[in-house]
Amino acid sequence: MSRTRTRPLWAHGCLCAWVALLVTAGPVLAQARPEQAKAAAAQAVYRGLFGDPVAPIGPARVGAEVNESEPNGSLSDADAVEVEDVAVGTIDPAGDQDFYWFTVGEGTTLEIDVAARRIGSPLDPVLRLWSPAGSMVAYNDDHYGLDSRIVYEVPRSGVYAVSVAGFGGEGGPGYHYRLNLGVVAPGPGDPTTIFATGFTGPWGLAAGPEGRLFVADLVRSRLQVVGSDGEVNTLAENVEGLFDIAIDGDGRLLATLLTGSVVEFDPETGAMETFINGLTRPTAFAVGLDGSLWVAESEGFTSFDRSGERIERLERSESEGETVISMAVSPAGALHYTTERQRVYRVDETEDHTVIESGGVLEGLAFDQDGYLYVADGMGRVDLYDPSYALAVPVVARSNLGGPSNLVFLRDSEGHMTSRLLVSNWGRGLEPPYRGGIVELDLEGVRAPGFLAGLDYLRISGAEAEAVMGAPFAHQLEAEAGVSGVSWQLEGGELPPGLTLIAGTGLVEGIPEEAGSWTFRIRAEADGRVGRARITVTVLEPVVTVASIANHLLGVVGALTVDHERYLDLRGNRNGRLDVGDYLLFRAGGASTVSLLEPIGREE
């Protein structure tokens, strides 16, 4: 179907502002190019990991196909089109620009997409959108590869125009294009809102047990954390090969490194240590129902138990040679994954097969607790599929989105899964704060809380305590109310000398033998739930005077307490009683390692 329209009389009038802007169109393009140069590193990382994006020729349209009518090289000569039309034209000769005008209402979100390379044209198209006042309000060069796309929310009703040009003034008889003018219909999850911003290449996402979000920034090779208050802090920098992150069934914060390992990060300090080594280019990973870990390598998947020991290896067949970029385990226990292609694969026992195929680039995956699957297509939308992989909601959300995009359900302050669904944006076709940001879907578009593979968290209280050297100490670690039969163990670090952890009760007790501060990691498990916490015990020295020690040794009753005597012996010769040797060492400022046979207080 095709038709042509007669331009309205106003289009032949004197549009001085628009014509004046045409004169500067070339410089505007030249000025915009450096901004792309700044993003060259991000694009290189994107293409290296995800491949070149593949997209359909254009959004589905219900309007007409309109052939350009020369001359249309200026705003005053623009061809008339309507939203939902497809305009077909050629940038010929070199330096040509084609303009189209249309009327649109306030609040409409436009999606303008020019297909050139996707239809075999040599044209590298550049898109500009012009307001009723004659100002350029949006610009894009390169979205679907070299093809361009603009998404713009119209602030007020009126006559707008869009122009197509060749980058650098290129053009010629074969430089054809198809210009798709559409409207973005909001999904139930629109509008999306900013959750956090300021990233460069956010990809790996992991929801922490205190409502925090951990983010792997691939371009900057750094691990960052977003607090429940939205504040962004960097945990670790210069992490070579950082790709995906996850919190496993034991609450460990893990990351895959393309260099060949899975590492564990301390979620408070960012300290890193190797958890699994000897892998072949590991990319995405996922936690199984029992807390085991599935890791995607170059040719297949390897599963590991909760201690990091290998369980089994599965080779990929249907997606052989493709890079796995996202993985998720369904409530039924089936492993699902995406590659840089337009498919979602499912792994059944010994083989993988396609369960979803789309015209877009399918990337991030997230299951809800009922087995419904949210899929980010990497081109600026999130779709929802039911447990049988039928498309349940074609567009859950598409506002403020630009791939590559990953998905994660957020936890609440108690560590339980919520219905808050987040999407990361590298930001193809977006501007800050959405470019390099993480957005949250409107809760109306999220049907159920997210699904948690592995073990749920058990909250532990009693993270800090103070003790006195030489004095009896008891500090009770507590699990959340209503949980019984908790087993406790020391998982990392060291207790202060003299203290022990009672595994059956969570009581840290004993007599501290040294002053200082000790931080250690505790693991608690009960009813199939696991909690991990960092505990800090600070051991202080009591206040004791030389005079009080001398009086005690001379027999003055009450000069020192039993705890003071024990402290002085621990600080002195450690022979089990307070004596003159301890007194001399204390007076000289000595330590327990000083022998009574050595000179006391002698100056060199």
Side-chain angles (χ1 to χ4, degrees):
M1 176 180 178
S2 66
R3 65 172 182 268
T4 59
R5 299 191 184 92
T6 303
R7 294 187 190 88
L9 292 177
W10 69 262
H12 298 279
C14 180
L15 304 176
C16 299
W18 285 28
V19 174
L21 278 172
L22 281 179
V23 177
T24 62
V28 168
L29 177 60
Q31 292 167 8
R33 199 64 178 184
E35 178 62 28
Q36 286 190 304
K38 294 178 183 178
Q43 291 181 7
V45 172
Y46 172 88
R47 290 191 171 101
L49 294 172
F50 302 97
D52 283 313
V54 179
I57 298 304
R61 302 299 180 213
V62 297
E65 184 172 291
V66 180
N67 295 308
E68 70 161 318
S69 175
E70 294 286 0
N72 63 347
S74 69
L75 288 166
S76 60
D77 290 328
D79 284 327
V81 292
E82 294 179 2
V83 173
E84 300 296 346
D85 282 353
V86 176
V88 180
T90 304
I91 299 301
D92 182 31
D96 182 27
Q97 298 184 81
D98 292 345
F99 287 79
Y100 302 87
W101 68 266
F102 53 92
T103 302
V104 64
E106 178 180 342
T108 302
T109 300
L110 293 171
E111 181 181 21
I112 304 172
D113 161 27
V114 59
R117 293 303 177 99
R118 284 170 288 163
I119 61 173
S121 170
L123 178 66
D124 176 0
V126 175
L127 276 180
R128 295 182 182 86
L129 181 65
W130 307 86
S131 76
S135 59
M136 187 177 68
V137 292
Y139 165 92
N140 182 250
D141 176 24
D142 301 350
H143 180 80
Y144 301 122
L146 294 180
D147 289 349
S148 302
R149 173 177 177 260
I150 287 174
V151 176
Y152 179 78
E153 185 173 347
V154 176
R156 66 180 187 274
S157 301
V159 177
Y160 288 74
V162 60
S163 63
V164 182
F167 175 72
E170 66 182 21
Y175 285 67
H176 308 302
Y177 65 84
R178 292 177 62 86
L179 177 66
N180 306 280
L181 296 107
V183 173
V184 176
D190 288 320
T192 61
T193 55
I194 282 289
F195 176 80
T197 190
F199 307 98
T200 304
W203 177 249
L205 304 173
E210 299 87 20
R212 298 190 297 171
L213 178 70
F214 297 94
V215 182
D217 191 323
L218 271 57
V219 175
R220 297 289 182 87
S221 300
R222 64 186 179 186
L223 177 65
Q224 295 175 277
V225 58
V226 185
S228 56
D229 59 357
E231 182 179 352
V232 180
N233 290 294
T234 298
L235 275 179
E237 295 186 281
N238 302 316
V239 184
E240 183 182 359
L242 179 65
F243 188 84
D244 200 9
I245 57 175
I247 295 178
D248 74 353
D250 286 332
R252 285 178 289 236
L253 176 59
L254 303 177
T256 54
L257 305 185
L258 298 176
T259 50
S261 63
V262 173
V263 296
E264 178 181 357
F265 286 99
D266 186 305
E268 305 300 330
T269 67
M272 182 180 77
E273 58 184 48
T274 300
F275 182 61
I276 300 171
N277 219 336
L279 302 174
T280 304
R281 192 177 166 78
T283 53
F285 60 163
V287 180
L289 297 187
D290 58 356
S292 59
L293 194 67
W294 283 100
V295 182
E297 298 185 75
S298 57
E299 299 299 331
F301 303 100
T302 306
S303 63
F304 299 85
D305 66 19
R306 286 158 52 185
S307 68
E309 294 295 322
R310 294 174 186 263
I311 301 175
E312 63 177 318
R313 168 82 176 183
L314 296 177
E315 301 298 323
R316 286 192 283 136
S317 56
E318 191 164 339
S319 65
E320 184 178 359
E322 300 173 11
T323 300
V324 176
I325 59 175
S326 183
M327 294 169 60
V329 172
S330 71
L335 179 65
H336 295 70
Y337 70 96
T338 60
T339 67
E340 71 269 28
R341 302 306 177 204
Q342 302 99 326
R343 295 176 179 146
V344 175
Y345 301 92
R346 172 175 169 150
V347 179
D348 290 325
E349 296 183 351
T350 61
E351 62 180 10
D352 54 345
H353 58 96
T354 300
V355 291
I356 297 173
E357 189 164 5
S358 170
V361 178
L362 304 185
E363 294 176 344
L365 302 174
F367 281 97
D368 73 12
Q369 64 184 15
D370 299 326
Y372 281 73
L373 177 60
Y374 291 85
V375 181
D377 78 344
M379 288 297 164
R381 59 187 278 176
V382 175
D383 300 327
L384 178 64
Y385 294 84
D386 70 18
S388 66
Y389 309 109
L391 188 58
V393 182
V395 180
V396 177
R398 66 190 308 172
S399 62
N400 309 317
L401 296 179
S405 296
N406 212 342
L407 298 166
V408 68
F409 280 95
L410 200 62
R411 301 175 188 267
D412 62 19
S413 59
E414 300 298 318
H416 306 303
M417 298 302 291
T418 72
S419 297
R420 298 180 64 185
L421 182 57
L422 306 180
V423 188
S424 64
N425 278 326
W426 281 47
R428 297 181 64 85
L430 299 179
E431 296 297 325
Y434 299 105
R435 185 178 68 214
I438 296 171
V439 299
E440 180 176 351
L441 271 64
D442 189 289
L443 281 175
E444 292 297 322
V446 186
R447 60 174 305 281
F451 171 67
L452 173 67
L455 303 179
D456 204 350
Y457 284 106
L458 186 65
R459 292 186 61 79
I460 301 171
S461 59
E464 295 184 358
E466 286 189 352
V468 177
M469 183 176 170
F473 171 81
H475 179 60
Q476 182 66 58
L477 301 175
E478 299 281 356
E480 60 191 74
V483 178
S484 59
V486 182
S487 62
W488 304 83
Q489 69 180 65
L490 180 66
E491 189 177 53
E494 295 182 353
L495 293 167
L499 300 186
T500 58
L501 170 67
I502 308 300
T505 64
L507 182 67
V508 179
E509 65 175 358
I511 296 176
E513 298 177 353
E514 294 182 17
S517 183
W518 281 262
T519 298
F520 48 94
R521 296 197 305 273
I522 293 292
R523 182 181 188 277
E525 185 169 356
D527 300 328
R529 301 171 64 192
V530 170
R532 304 170 81 223
R534 291 167 54 88
I535 311 296
T536 298
V537 175
T538 302
V539 181
L540 307 174
E541 295 190 56
V543 177
V544 180
T545 65
V546 172
S548 64
I549 304 173
N551 287 335
H552 177 82
L553 293 174
L554 292 173
V556 176
V557 177
L560 292 176
T561 67
V562 173
D563 293 346
H564 288 157
E565 292 184 56
R566 189 183 298 112
Y567 158 71
L568 291 166
D569 181 56
L570 289 169
R571 195 174 183 275
N573 55 32
R574 299 197 176 202
N575 63 358
R577 66 182 186 278
L578 176 61
D579 54 26
V580 173
D582 300 322
Y583 167 75
L584 293 175
L585 284 169
F586 182 82
R587 183 174 180 178
S592 60
T593 56
V594 177
S595 170
L596 286 177
L597 299 178
E598 297 176 349
I600 302 299
R602 186 181 67 187
E603 294 183 0
E604 297 294 336

